[in-house]
Structures are given as structure tokens and as C-alpha cells.
């Protein structure tokens, strides 16, 4: 069933686990995530980036998520890194149940002003809003690269008080994409503890993909050229959940699983060009990856 971001995160906040937020771009990815959530009896957030909306179209993504919401588990439909105000408004109008407004690239006052406006529009419809303060590193479709600027706890307190956001994305050392660290991947757990103490709302970890070696090896074996990718180790994710993260974003691991499974199928069955045969192993592998992460986040059995 489709529920609000606020509702799904409030329970996680109260009970001390994290809900997985997974990026969808097409039907198969959405099905894999929802099948994993059903298998693990886990609440789940399906999120669409502006790039996904541009690629698939808002109506298609809405229809896919609506079909998914026939399942009995709680599902939120969330805009990921909304920066364009027209897209934010379109998602609110179309029935998204959560909105991230990402003003992290703006000066503090402008971020406050824009986020507050989005909160006012969204709250009128009962939709929760995630804000971002500090900058998470790495690459997204619209951003080539940026340095991590760790979230300042005092600024965060003021940001939350003045904007009324329901959840906050914090920068504690992660980056988007497959190249997060050089050397041991560690998060600033001390900073997370301080933020948790000072903020009484759910905290969100972006750039949280684990970049599992098994997926990298599989993709590379069938021709992917990935260099030396590095993700957030599972033990760091577990510590982050223990110390107050309630929403964890994953996209890169889904992309890696999709890529590895398709490459393998095509290499092993060069005579088969049926898209259903090509995409089925990708859907199955993504489901396995998502189920593993749900258990890691402690959201299994919480639906
Ligand atoms: O935060 C970034 C997500 O991985 C979405 O990436 O903008 O390329 O769809 P995208
Ligand atoms: P990853 O690139 O680590 O999967 O992060 C995705 C994300 O934060 C989407 O908002
Ligand atoms: Zn993100």
C-alpha cells in the first residue's frame, strides 16, 4: 500500500532501524525492489531522481509505482534530489508521497528559503519533505563532482527549526556513485552521534551503496571497465543504523547488479535476443542485492 514518507520514517525513527530507499528507472528495477520488500516483509521507499523522471516520464513511473502499491507492505514514492521547482510541484500534484528538496548547493539562506516553501506546499497535501544540508560527494546525472562538506550540527539545528523538514540528509563522509573512498571507507560516526542528539527528526544517509566485490568481479568478467570502485562497507552501514540513520539511499548497487547480470546473459547466450530473457536475470540479481540490504538496515520483518 502507498503510504507517506513521514509515516514510514516515523516508525523507523521510533523503533531504531533504517528504511531502504532504492532508485527506480524502469519496471524491472521497481519489480525487483518490491519483490525483495515482500520477501523480507520490509517497508520500502521507491525513489525517482529528476534524471529518472526525464528518462521514463512521470506518468510511467507513477503507473509502475501504483501497480507496486497493490502489495500489502508499506511503500512510499519519493522524489530524490529534487532541485527543479517545477519537478517538485509536478510530483506533489501527481501523488508522490515524499519529496526531497536538495538545496545543498545553494547558500544557507537560499536553501532555507526554498526548502521552507517546498515544505509549505507539500505539508498542505500531507506529504513529508527531506532536506539536505552539507554536501554529499560524488557524481549524479546533473552534478559531475563535488567535494564533501560535512554537515555542521548547529547549522543543521537552525535549518530544521526554520524549514520544518520531516527528515534531513546529512553529509558524514559518503559520496554518490561507485568511487567513494581511497583506502578504508569510514564514516564520521562521532558527527552522526552529535547530529542525532541535536535533531529530533529522521536522518538520511545518501551515497550508501556497498559496491559489493562479487558484483564488480562479475561485471568485469564479462567486459565492464570499472577501474577501482569502492563502496561503504557493510559494517559501517550497521554502525550508522545503530547510531540513528533511518533512511538509506541505494542506487549504484542496483546499477552494478543490472549491468553484471545483463553482460553475463548476453555473453553466455549470444543467440538469445528476447528482452524478457535478457532482463530476467538482472531483475533476480537486483532482488538479491536489495534483500541483503534490507536485512543490513534492520527493516526486514518491519512491514
Ligand atoms: O543521487 C543520485 C542517484 O544515484 C540518482 O542518479 O540522477 O543519475 O538518476 P541519477
Ligand atoms: P549510491 O550512489 O551510493 O547508490 O547513492 C544513491 C543516493 O544517494 C541516491 O540519492
Ligand atoms: Zn543522494
Amino acid at each position: 500500500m502507498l503510504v507517506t514518507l513521514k509515516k514510514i520514517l516515523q516508525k523507523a525513527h521510533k523503533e531504531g532501524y533504517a528504511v531502504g530507499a532504492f532508485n527506480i528507472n524502469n519496471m524491472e528495477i521497481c519489480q525487483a525492489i518490491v519483490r525483495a520488500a515482500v520477501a523480507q516483509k520490509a517497508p520500502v521507499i521507491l525513489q525517482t531522481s529528476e534524471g529518472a523522471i526525464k528518462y521514463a516520464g512521470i506518468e510511467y513511473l507513477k503507473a509502475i509505482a501504483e501497480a507496486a502499491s497493490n502489495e500489502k507492505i508499506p511503500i512510499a514514492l519519493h522524489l530524490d534530489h529534487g532541485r527543479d521547482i517545477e519537478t517538485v510541484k509536478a510530483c506533489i500534484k501527481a501523488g508522490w508521497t515524499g519529496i526531497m528538496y536538495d538545496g545543498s548547493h545553494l547558500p544557507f539562506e537560499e536553501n532555507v528559503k526554498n526548502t521552507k516553501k517546498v515544505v509549505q506546499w507539500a505539508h498542505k497535501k500531507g506529504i513529508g519533505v527531506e532536506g539536505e544540508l552539507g554536501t554529499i560527494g560524488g557524481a549524479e546525472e546533473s552534478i559531475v563532482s563535488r567535494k564533501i562538506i560535512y554537515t555542521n550540527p548547529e547549522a543543521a539545528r537552525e535549518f530544521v527549526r526554520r524549514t520544518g523538514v520531516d527528515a534531513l540528509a546529512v553529509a558524514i563522509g559518503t559520496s554518490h556513485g561507485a568511487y567513494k573512498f581511497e583506502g578504508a571507507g569510514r564514516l564520521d560516526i562521532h558527527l552522526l552521534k552529535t547530529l542525532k542528539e541535536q535533531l529530533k527528526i529522521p536522518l538520511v544517509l545518501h551515497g550508501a551503496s556497498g559496491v559489493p566485490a562479487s558484483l564488480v568481479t562479475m561485471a568485469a568478467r564479462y567486459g565492464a571497465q570499472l577501474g577501482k570502485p569502492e563502496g561503504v562497507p557493510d559494517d559501517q552501514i550497521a554502525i550508522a543504523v545503530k547510531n540513528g540513520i533511518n533512511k538509506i539511499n541505494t542506487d549504484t548497487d542496483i546499477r552494478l547488479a543490472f549491468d553484471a547480470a545483463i553482460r553475463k546473459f548476453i555473453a553466455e547466450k549470444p543467440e538469445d535476443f528476447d528482452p524478457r530473457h535478457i532482463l530476467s536475470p538482472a531483475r533476480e540479481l537486483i532482488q538479491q542485492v536489495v534483500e541483503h540490504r534490507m536485512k543490513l538496515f534492520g527493516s526486514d520483518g518491519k512491514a
Side-chain angles (χ1 to χ4, degrees), residues 108-275:
F108 181 81
E109 285 301 327
E110 217 176 315
N111 189 1
V112 168
K113 192 176 111 210
N114 292 2
T115 307
K116 197 172 159 184
K117 220 186 298 165
V118 171
V119 168
Q120 283 166 353
W121 296 330
H123 280 187
K124 262 190 214 147
K125 291 214 170 185
I127 300 167
V129 175
E130 172 186 344
E132 179 175 330
L133 193 66
T135 55
I136 294 145
E140 295 152 46
E141 193 173 87
S142 50
I143 306 152
V144 180
S145 83
R146 53 185 185 178
K147 272 213 328 242
I148 303 171
I149 301 170
Y150 288 77
T151 305
N152 175 298
E154 280 207 357
R157 215 165 55 177
E158 186 183 339
F159 183 82
V160 170
R161 181 177 57 76
R162 287 175 60 191
T163 58
V165 286
D166 305 281
L168 186 69
V170 292
I172 57 168
T174 57
S175 299
H176 292 103
Y179 310 91
K180 299 183 191 298
F181 307 102
E182 283 168 12
R186 299 230 162 272
L187 307 184
D188 189 340
I189 299 298
H190 178 71
L191 173 59
L192 173 59
K193 282 182 179 165
T194 309
L195 290 163
K196 177 73 183 168
E197 265 165 32
Q198 304 215 359
L199 307 171
K200 304 294 173 214
I201 58 171
L203 303 181
V204 183
L205 188 66
H206 283 244
S209 275
V211 188
S214 58
L215 294 183
V216 174
T217 310
M218 182 175 166
R221 182 159 171 223
Y222 295 101
Q225 293 182 1
L226 299 171
K228 278 195 168 178
E230 201 73 57
V232 184
D234 280 6
D235 69 321
Q236 291 287 295
I237 294 288
I239 295 171
V241 173
K242 207 170 139 222
N243 286 285
I245 290 290
N246 296 124
K247 172 176 180 275
I248 297 184
N249 288 11
T250 303
D251 188 4
T252 296
D253 286 355
I254 294 171
R255 295 177 179 196
L256 285 171
F258 191 85
D259 181 66
I262 288 175
R263 284 178 189 278
K264 180 172 188 284
F265 182 87
I266 288 174
E268 288 177 350
K269 301 247 167 58
E271 72 289 355
D272 192 339
F273 58 93
D274 184 329

Side-chain angles (χ1 to χ4, degrees), residues 35-74:
R35 287 177 188 184
V38 169
Q40 290 301 322
K41 299 187 173 49
V44 70
I45 298 164
L46 301 173
Q47 55 186 15
T48 63
S49 67
E50 289 181 346
I53 292 173
K54 231 182 270 164
Y55 168 75
I58 195 164
E59 291 302 331
Y60 279 88
L61 290 174
K62 185 187 172 190
I64 291 167
E66 256 169 16
S69 70
N70 287 327
E71 298 292 350
K72 290 197 170 54
I73 47 156

